[in-house]
Amino acid sequence: MRERYVWDLDEADGSRIALVGGKGAHLGTLSRIEGVRVPGGFCVTTDAFRRVVAGAPEVDELLERLARVDPDDREAVRALSAGIRRTVEGLALPDELVAAVTGALARHGEEAAYAVRSSATAEDLPTASFAGQQDTYLNVVGTEAVLRHISRCWASLFTERAVTYRRRGGIDDRAVGMAVVVQRMVFPEASGILFTADPVTGDRKNATVDAGFGLGEALVSGLVNPDVFTVRDGGIIGRTIAAKERAIVAVEGGGTREVAVEAGRREQPALTDEQVLRLVGLGRRIEKHFGRPQDIEWCLVDDGFRIVQSRPITTLFPVPEVADDENHVYVSVGHQQMMTDAMKPLGLSMWRLTAMAPMLEAGGRLFVDITRRLGPPSARAALLDMMGQGDPLVRDALETVLGHAGFVPTLPDPAPAAPPPGGVPAPIATDPAVVRELIARSEASVAALERDIRTRSGPALFDFLVEAFDEHKRVRGDPLSMQAIMAGMESTWWLNEKLLEWLGEKNAADTLTLSAPDNITSEMGLALLDVADVIRPHPEAVAYLRGVGDDDGFLDGLAKVAGGAEAREAIEAYLDRYGMRCVGEIDITRPRWSEHPSALVPVILDNVRLFGPGAAAQRFEEGRRKALDKERDVLTRLRALPDGDLKADETKRMIDRVRTFIGYREYPKYGIIRRYALYKQALMREADSLVEAGALAAREDVFLLTFDEFRDAVRTKEVDAGLIRRREEEFRVFSTLAPPRVLTSDGEAVNGAYRRDDVPEGALTGLPVSAGTVEGRARVVLDVSEADLEAGDILVTTFTDPSWSPLFVGIAGLVTEVGGLMTHGAVIAREYGLPAVVGVERATRLIRDGQRIRVHGTDGYVELLA
């Protein structure tokens, strides 16, 4: 079929995005929406761009060189991009293209002025807007000028900013085509941008209008502050009228210029209230057509609106889908589980199937709907207290939502519940045998799963797993286990509250719980010190491990060097007990240490270098002695108070209780992850079968299917390759979004704030979770496998889960962006006596790697030093 170089805008739509680019496709679609007026024009297609570039092998060569450049080498990217632009602008246009453009201009008005606008194929997409990444030229007059600016638009595909944006989005420069929109110029009295959802809070019911005089370039370039109108439910609920001293207007004969706005007009609104409401109504119509919130560029001409662009707002966090139009409040599961990264569909569906509460999915994350629990005042108060104990930012975010009048209606408190049959159960006894029994129950359940799952395959495996998930939930919901966990937490809270009241001492429980027994996560970190003890005496084994890199088959080679057999045995023993763990372990799709053992090698080598023999036992004994010393000190001081013997006796009972139960807090998660590892091993055997049957290209593709879709694929031996591709792109986009702590059905994303006035100016506020103050070098680590730590360093990261605990033995303090008083990082920081502050918003961006900081773990803030 002969290539066609020009399409009129009214011929373009979403099905032709590969030919006319994102902007051209949207404008064509807009022109067919009733009541929406779009200036006429045409598109120069991507076929024209490719035809011109194909005749220039030098462009190909430069693109090849650009593909090999390190994305962080800005100078090289800048130089190569400039070279490509110069080359593209200098290419001769084929006669057929010149004729097609000339003919289109004759149809639309040869002497008219035009806007010549880039329209890349990776632009104005639901997943990436590319706003402002390529060029637009206004008021272009004459055929020769239009042709010249078409070449300039093509060249703008390779500006440094556009190349960098594509790299960040994982888009290959050579895979993107460029169309050009040539559109009749309009000369507006006012222009601006309409967001049909609040681009900052995400609230889908709030529309925002930015407006200024003249052409919209004055707003886009930041030349003037716009008037800003906020509209909700058909009324203007907020307005800011700016002093608009400058405007950009078209110049006769071509081009634009900046002019002064007459003094009498500067503080007049660019739009009347009636015009604002009419514009928002038009935006809602466009939003409904595209099915998602839009970022719309508009012009006001003779009291009528012309729409010159509409693109999706790609920065909004998605809202969970529900079957009603009621208001809902959702709390992030990831912030409770210390795993805020996006999860793939199999990971999401497996967690939902094994969770104790119904969960909803949005943006690759899970949320729990707590709306009903916020209705009755007593339930609301209890929920806020519980959330505040874990993470004050969640509580503050919920209080912000509750402050929106009428969003969560107040419901009557339910009638008091009748006492359970047999009365209220007696409090759990402070007895280590309770913990031993719970651990034995968990071990027996995992052993039964390991035995039974081996014999299942094909559809029968999935039937078995559904039953196994019921057992999984039974174990998680074991009433005795829940009592033991709560006993540890409640005694911690009691000690902190009472010792602050009686002795004026903050967070005393942090020292009293050092080296508490039965903490599987802290034992895991210390056990890796024991592995280092085995390896340290063997220089050849140490040297071999230094060269391992990402080779997960390194254990075979290790056994062949002097001392390597002992080293291998120690590592394998460690993996037998802890190999089911990994970063982000609640996501079954993440590689376990047993699958990726090289991830442990850097930490082992750090332990070899930084510690001496017997460090694990020494550290544990040191913590135990500090806890005993603290206990004696506290009890002595209490006995000197009025009613001191009573206070000391009660405190002693609580110290015994916290040391009995606080370590068990980590064990249920360990049991869950052991079960997950067994599920995954069985599921990956089925994935291999699908690869052998030709239904899948790679075994990891099953991670992009839900559990039920995987089950169907095993039954039918068929997988929709298109679905896999769509899910890959969706996951890529979700990975770029930051999930909020609290999300509403209106789309409002709320993260909460600390309402404190006792923090030094310039310090970063967080939640104190492990007492003490430490000063040192900050090491900002986003990937545990890339940690490069020295003794005395302070770890700064987004979140930690149990897989990070081996790093804790070698650091002096901890700062995280996500966390609460009883989350894993906080528990292990207390266990190891590390001053820690969690819930520090944007810590990994506000603290520079290598910067000296001071962590105030008792008071909950971080000072940035030299």
Side-chain angles (χ1 to χ4, degrees):
M1 188 175 76
R2 189 175 174 220
E3 290 173 333
R4 184 174 166 190
Y5 295 139
V6 167
W7 289 74
D8 273 2
L9 269 183
D10 57 12
E11 298 177 280
D13 60 26
S15 67
R16 295 197 168 98
I17 196 167
L19 276 174
V20 299
K23 188 180 284 103
H26 272 246
L27 286 169
T29 303
L30 283 165
S31 69
R32 289 191 287 279
I33 301 175
E34 185 179 352
V36 176
R37 299 174 69 182
V38 176
F42 59 92
C43 291
V44 179
T45 66
T46 55
D47 285 342
F49 170 72
R50 291 194 175 94
R51 161 78 187 277
V52 171
V53 172
E58 61 270 35
V59 174
D60 236 13
E61 183 186 331
L62 286 166
L63 284 172
E64 187 64 39
R65 287 171 58 191
L66 183 61
R68 294 195 298 266
V69 165
D70 183 336
D72 294 328
D73 187 346
R74 295 190 61 183
E75 284 303 316
V77 170
R78 184 178 297 124
L80 282 167
S81 298
I84 296 169
R85 290 198 307 279
R86 283 193 302 271
T87 304
V88 170
E89 282 194 51
L91 297 175
L93 303 185
D95 292 343
E96 310 96 279
L97 172 58
V98 172
V101 171
T102 302
L105 288 171
R107 288 196 306 278
H108 289 278
E110 198 169 356
E111 301 305 319
Y114 289 88
V116 182
R117 314 170 70 195
S118 306
S119 181
T121 52
E123 180 178 341
D124 294 352
L125 304 177
T127 55
S129 74
F130 280 78
Q133 298 307 311
Q134 284 92 39
D135 289 347
T136 286
Y137 302 97
L138 300 179
N139 201 29
V140 179
V141 178
T143 302
E144 196 173 309
V146 168
L147 289 166
R148 185 168 65 254
H149 283 87
I150 287 170
S151 291
R152 294 179 69 182
C153 282
W154 288 339
S156 75
L157 188 61
F158 304 104
T159 60
E160 181 190 356
R161 66 179 183 272
V163 169
T164 302
Y165 190 103
R166 286 195 293 273
R167 293 283 179 90
R168 194 174 295 124
I171 297 171
D172 188 339
D173 295 311
R174 290 165 293 190
V176 181
M178 175 69 89
V180 178
V181 171
V182 181
Q183 198 172 12
R184 283 290 292 258
M185 188 73 190
V186 293
F187 303 99
E189 300 132 42
S191 57
I193 299 166
L194 160 64
F195 293 100
T196 64
D198 189 313
V200 177
T201 69
D203 194 325
R204 270 57 163 186
K205 290 191 175 178
N206 283 358
T208 303
V209 175
D210 289 5
F213 295 125
L215 293 166
E217 301 311 293
L219 302 187
V220 173
S221 65
L223 178 65
V224 297
N225 291 324
D227 296 341
V228 181
F229 302 88
T230 303
V231 176
R232 185 181 182 93
D233 297 330
I236 296 174
I237 61 169
R239 61 161 57 77
T240 302
I241 306 304
K244 300 170 286 296
E245 297 187 359
R246 314 294 293 173
I248 292 177
V249 298
V251 176
E252 189 175 346
T256 61
R257 67 186 174 95
E258 183 185 321
V259 298
V261 175
E262 300 93 320
R265 293 184 65 214
R266 288 176 184 172
E267 296 191 19
Q268 288 182 4
L271 296 177
T272 66
D273 285 3
E274 184 276 332
Q275 287 169 335
V276 168
L277 295 177
R278 186 154 36 100
L279 175 61
V280 170
L282 197 59
R284 292 294 183 209
R285 189 178 306 169
I286 293 169
E287 176 186 65
K288 184 177 180 181
H289 183 88
F290 286 114
R292 56 177 59 88
Q294 296 287 300
D295 164 0
I296 298 167
E297 293 182 21
W298 55 268
C299 295
L300 178 69
V301 183
D302 298 329
D303 195 36
F305 289 102
R306 307 291 190 275
I307 304 301
V308 295
Q309 189 160 329
S310 183
R311 60 169 74 93
I313 307 175
T314 59
T315 55
L316 300 178
F317 198 87
V319 178
E321 292 184 8
V322 292
D324 60 52
D325 293 324
E326 302 295 319
N327 290 343
H328 294 270
V329 181
Y330 309 105
V331 170
S332 163
V333 172
H335 284 83
Q336 313 302 312
Q337 290 292 335
M338 298 302 96
M339 171 38 191
T340 56
D341 291 348
M343 295 169 69
K344 291 180 178 176
L346 186 62
L348 290 166
S349 61
M350 289 288 285
W351 192 258
R352 291 176 74 178
L353 287 165
T354 54
M356 301 301 290
M359 294 180 181
L360 296 160
E361 188 181 323
R365 278 77 169 191
L366 293 171
F367 294 85
V368 174
D369 187 342
I370 61 164
T371 317
R372 290 187 180 279
R373 294 178 64 186
L374 290 172
S378 60
R380 175 186 297 182
L383 181 65
L384 289 174
D385 283 345
M386 184 185 74
M387 292 289 182
Q389 288 278 11
D391 184 346
L393 291 177
V394 173
R395 176 176 184 142
D396 186 79
L398 289 173
E399 288 175 335
T400 298
V401 173
L402 290 168
H404 299 340
F407 189 83
V408 179
T410 299
L411 303 174
D413 278 322
V424 178
I428 187 172
T430 302
D431 183 354
V434 173
V435 174
R436 290 196 296 271
E437 179 188 344
L438 286 168
I439 290 173
R441 287 185 193 179
S442 176
E443 294 284 334
S445 176
V446 171
L449 173 64
E450 187 170 13
R451 180 192 67 233
D452 295 341
I453 204 169
R454 287 178 188 153
T455 61
R456 275 32 180 227
S457 63
L461 169 67
F462 289 83
D463 295 339
F464 170 80
L465 284 173
V466 170
E467 296 176 7
F469 297 160
D470 289 337
E471 167 67 4
H472 183 120
K473 287 187 276 192
R474 187 197 65 76
V475 171
R476 285 189 72 176
D478 183 335
L480 185 64
S481 178
M482 299 304 293
Q483 281 184 287
I485 291 169
M486 290 309 299
M489 293 168 66
E490 287 167 352
S491 50
T492 299
W493 297 333
W494 188 96
L495 286 165
N496 282 336
E497 181 184 330
K498 292 298 183 181
L499 295 181
L500 177 62
E501 177 188 340
W502 292 338
L503 299 177
E505 187 162 340
K506 292 182 179 178
N507 303 324
D510 294 357
T511 306
L512 293 167
T513 54
L514 288 171
S515 296
D518 300 311
N519 188 317
I520 189 71
T521 306
S522 64
E523 289 168 7
M524 178 173 72
L526 296 175
L528 209 56
L529 287 173
D530 291 335
V531 172
D533 284 354
V534 175
I535 296 169
R536 191 180 295 107
H538 303 291
E540 287 187 40
V542 173
Y544 174 85
L545 289 174
R546 287 197 183 110
V548 162
D550 288 329
D551 177 13
D552 288 322
F554 74 93
L555 289 170
D556 291 337
L558 177 61
K560 297 172 184 174
V561 304
E566 296 96 318
R568 172 177 171 163
E569 185 178 341
I571 293 172
E572 286 180 334
Y574 186 88
L575 290 172
D576 285 344
R577 182 146 174 78
Y578 304 111
M580 75 295 298
R581 310 216 84 149
C582 67
V583 175
E585 61 190 10
I586 71 167
D587 181 354
I588 200 170
T589 72
R590 295 290 189 101
R592 314 281 126 180
W593 287 341
S594 56
E595 300 170 290
H596 184 38
S598 62
L600 289 172
V601 171
V603 188
I604 293 171
L605 289 172
D606 281 348
N607 288 348
V608 167
R609 179 169 54 88
L610 297 174
F611 297 95
Q618 292 165 17
R619 288 178 68 93
F620 188 83
E621 181 57 25
E622 182 185 344
R624 194 182 68 82
R625 273 201 318 271
K626 284 182 179 177
L628 287 172
D629 291 346
K630 186 68 174 178
E631 177 181 327
R632 281 193 290 268
D633 171 62
V634 162
L635 296 179
T636 300
R637 289 158 61 199
L638 285 173
R639 288 194 176 98
L641 300 176
D643 296 324
D645 287 342
L646 281 174
K647 289 171 180 171
D649 290 346
E650 195 172 3
T651 299
K652 172 61 175 168
R653 284 195 297 274
M654 284 299 177
I655 291 172
D656 290 345
R657 194 164 178 80
V658 79
R659 290 192 65 80
T660 298
F661 292 116
I662 198 64
Y664 177 72
R665 166 75 176 77
E666 293 292 298
Y667 200 89
K669 180 78 170 286
Y670 174 68
I672 290 168
I673 300 308
R674 290 178 72 190
R675 297 181 72 88
Y676 259 47
L678 294 170
Y679 301 153
K680 185 177 184 181
Q681 289 168 11
L683 289 170
M684 295 317 289
R685 290 194 291 270
E686 298 305 316
D688 290 336
S689 296
L690 289 174
V691 172
E692 289 171 18
L696 282 179
R699 69 197 309 249
E700 289 80 11
D701 285 351
V702 295
F703 299 158
L704 297 162
L705 301 175
T706 66
F707 178 82
D708 287 337
E709 289 167 346
F710 191 175
R711 186 179 194 169
D712 288 342
V714 167
R715 181 176 52 80
T716 63
K717 300 296 182 187
E718 292 180 358
V719 177
D720 181 353
L723 176 66
I724 297 293
R725 286 193 299 274
R726 290 193 298 276
R727 293 270 175 81
E728 271 183 322
E729 171 61 16
E730 197 173 63
F731 177 73
R732 184 190 67 75
V733 173
F734 290 160
S735 296
T736 67
L737 300 176
R741 284 177 168 81
V742 172
L743 183 66
T744 74
S745 48
D746 283 354
E748 184 179 9
V750 193
N751 276 302
Y754 294 105
R755 317 285 176 177
R756 294 176 56 182
D757 55 10
D758 60 342
V759 173
E761 186 177 352
L764 308 180
T765 308
L767 176 66
V769 296
S770 185
T773 300
V774 65
E775 182 179 319
R777 179 179 68 160
R779 296 316 308 260
V780 179
V781 180
L782 301 181
D783 183 337
V784 68
S785 67
E786 296 175 2
D788 181 16
L789 300 167
E790 298 288 343
D793 282 349
I794 297 169
L795 175 63
V796 179
T797 189
T798 312
F799 59 81
T800 63
D801 58 16
S803 71
W804 287 72
S805 62
L807 293 184
F808 285 23
V809 298
I811 60 175
L814 174 70
V815 178
T816 69
E817 294 181 348
V818 177
L821 190 63
M822 285 297 170
T823 50
H824 302 280
V827 170
I828 304 307
R830 291 193 292 272
E831 176 77 14
Y832 288 168
L834 302 175
V837 180
V838 303
V840 181
E841 286 287 278
R842 300 172 62 232
T844 58
R845 283 163 285 181
L846 296 174
I847 299 173
R848 298 190 314 276
D849 185 50
Q851 181 176 17
R852 286 196 71 76
I853 62 174
R854 187 179 296 125
V855 176
H856 295 263
T858 304
D859 295 310
Y861 63 90
V862 180
E863 289 184 278
L864 308 182
L865 307 176

